[in-house]
Amino acid sequence: MFKSEYLNKVYETTAQRNPNQPEFLQAVRDVLESLEVVVAKDSRFEKYGVIERMVEPERTIAFRVSWVDDNGKVQVNRGFRVQFNSAIGPYKGGLRFHPSVNASVIKFLGFEQTFKNSLTGLPMGGGKGGSDFDPRGRSDGEIMRFCQSFMTELSKHIGADTDVPAGDIGVGAREVGYLFGQYKRLRNEFTGVITGKGISYGGSLIRPEATGFGAVYYADEMLHTFGEEVKGKTFAVSGFGNVAWGTVKKINELGGKVVTISGPDGYIYDADGIATEEKINFMLEMRASGRDKVQDYADKFGVPFYAGQRPWGEKFDVAMPCATQNEVGLEDAKKMVANGVKYYVEVANMPTTDEAVAYFRQNKVVIAPSKAVNAGGVAVSGLEMAQNSMRYSWTSEEVDTKLKQIMKNIYKNSYDAAKKYGLEGDLVAGANIAGFEKVAEAMIAQGIAY
C-alpha cells in the first residue's frame, strides 16, 4: 500500500487492532499517504515510534447512558469519548449525537481533530465524543434528561485543562446548555469546560457561524492562488445545518452565489441564489423545526426539489459539501468533473470517499481538505476558551478578524508544507504534513510517555 515499509507496518497493525472500523482506517490511510515523503527524510519519526503512537488514542472511554423518556420508559444509549492526543494542549473536540455514532466514527473524528487543532496554531490537543442518541423527534425534557445522564458520566473525564468538548451534529446551543448546567451542578465550579455556550454564560460571538465562515475564508485564499476569488462564483452546498448556514452567509457577503442546499430527503436548486436574508434565516428555521426536510425550502420559495438525490450533478464552479462523512462518491465526482468543476472544498469531516478523491486527483481538480477547511469552528472554540480564562469577551468584529487570520495562516502553512516536500499545490498533503509536524515535534520533546 505504501512505499515505506515502516508505514505499511504501522497501517497493518492499526487495521488488525481496529477491525470493522472503516471510517477510522480511511482517515489513517489518508494521513499516512501524505507522510511518505516526511518519514523518508527524517528517521526520528520511526526511531521514536511517533506514528505508532499517533494512530493509537491515549484514552478511549465508552459508557452506558440510561435515561427516562416522556412515557416513563427507561432508554439506554451508548456514550463515547476518545481522548486522542494531548501533546500540544488539552483534548479538544465536539460531541455528536446521531444514530450513526459508533467507535469507528468517533475515532476517525478524534484522529482528524488532532491535526485540525494543530493547524489552528492554538494549544489544543485532539479528542471527540458523542452518543448514538437521536435528538430528532424528542421533547426538550427528554433531551435535557439524556444530556444530564450523559454528562454525569462524562464529567469524570473532562475539565478546562484536561478535555474541553463542544457541539457537533445533533448538539447545538440547547444541548450544550443542558450539558454545561449538569457539569456545573456536579463539579460546583464555573469553568470553560465546554465551548459553544450561549453568550449569556460565557460563549463567544460568531461561534455558530464560525465553521462556515472559516471554510469560505480558506476557499477565498485558495482561489487567490489561482488568480480567482469568491466574488462572481457559483457554489453548490450540501446540508442545511449551522455549517451550511454559515457557509452560505459568508459566500453571499463575499459576492458569491449559492444555488443548492440538501437534506436527507433530497436537494433544492435555487437559480436566483440563496441570497436574501429571508432565505438564509429560513435555513435556521428548518433546522430548529426538527423535521430534517430540505423540501420545506422548496415549498416556501417555489424552487425545484429533487427527492432522494444529491446536488452534485448541477452546474456550478465550486463544490462545498457540508453534511457528513463519505457523502460524495465516485459517481458524484464524475458528474462534477464532466460539468467542469475545478475546485472541491471539503467542509464536512471527510465527506469524500477514497474513490472520489482519486478521481478528482486524476482530473486535476483542486481539493481543499476538511481538516484545514473546517478548522474555523474549533479555532473560535479555542478563542472562547481564551475568553473564559480571561473572564473577558471580544466583539464580533474582533473574533471574526482573528478567525480570518487563523484561516489565512492555515492555508499558507499547508501550501508551504506541501511545497517544502516537492508537492506544491497538493493541499491535502500539505494540511496533513503541517498538522503532523507540530504534534510530532511535541511528542518527541516530551518523551515516550506521550
Side-chain angles (χ1 to χ4, degrees), residues 132-211:
D132 57 3
F133 170 75
D134 190 353
R136 291 175 299 181
R138 293 292 181 182
S139 70
D140 280 354
E142 288 176 322
I143 290 171
M144 181 181 71
R145 290 191 293 276
F146 172 82
C147 288
Q148 289 173 340
S149 179
F150 181 88
M151 181 53 79
T152 297
E153 177 61 31
L154 186 67
S155 65
K156 303 169 187 175
H157 310 287
I158 63 175
D161 296 315
T162 304
D163 184 351
V164 183
D168 193 80
I169 294 173
V171 180
R174 172 182 55 181
E175 290 78 13
V176 167
Y178 293 149
L179 291 164
F180 181 78
Q182 182 71 353
Y183 181 88
K184 185 163 62 72
R185 181 181 296 118
L186 293 167
R187 299 289 287 265
N188 192 32
E189 60 184 31
F190 195 112
T191 62
V193 72
I194 188 167
T195 58
K197 299 186 293 297
I199 298 301
S200 63
Y201 60 101
S204 175
L205 291 164
I206 80 159
R207 177 60 190 91
E209 303 97 323
T211 303

Side-chain angles (χ1 to χ4, degrees), residues 120-135:
T120 68
L122 301 173
M124 301 182 294
K128 204 76 178 184
S131 173
D132 57 3
F133 170 75
D134 190 353

Side-chain angles (χ1 to χ4, degrees), residues 212-235 237 246-258 317-318 320 343 345 404:
F213 277 22
V216 180
Y217 287 143
Y218 183 100
D220 200 39
E221 286 298 304
M222 176 194 73
L223 289 168
H224 288 161
T225 301
F226 299 95
E228 303 190 59
E229 59 183 346
V230 167
K231 186 177 181 179
K233 289 277 187 297
T234 301
F235 292 77
V237 167
T247 300
V248 171
K249 193 173 176 182
K250 184 56 69 173
I251 287 171
N252 277 288
E253 286 180 18
L254 297 186
K257 182 169 79 169
V258 179
D317 302 311
V318 184
M320 296 188 74
Y343 305 104
V345 182
K404 186 173 184 179

Side-chain angles (χ1 to χ4, degrees), residues 402-413:
K402 293 177 191 295
L403 170 61
K404 186 173 184 179
Q405 189 59 53
I406 287 170
M407 298 311 297
K408 280 188 167 188
N409 292 342
I410 289 173
Y411 179 79
K412 182 180 185 304
N413 292 340

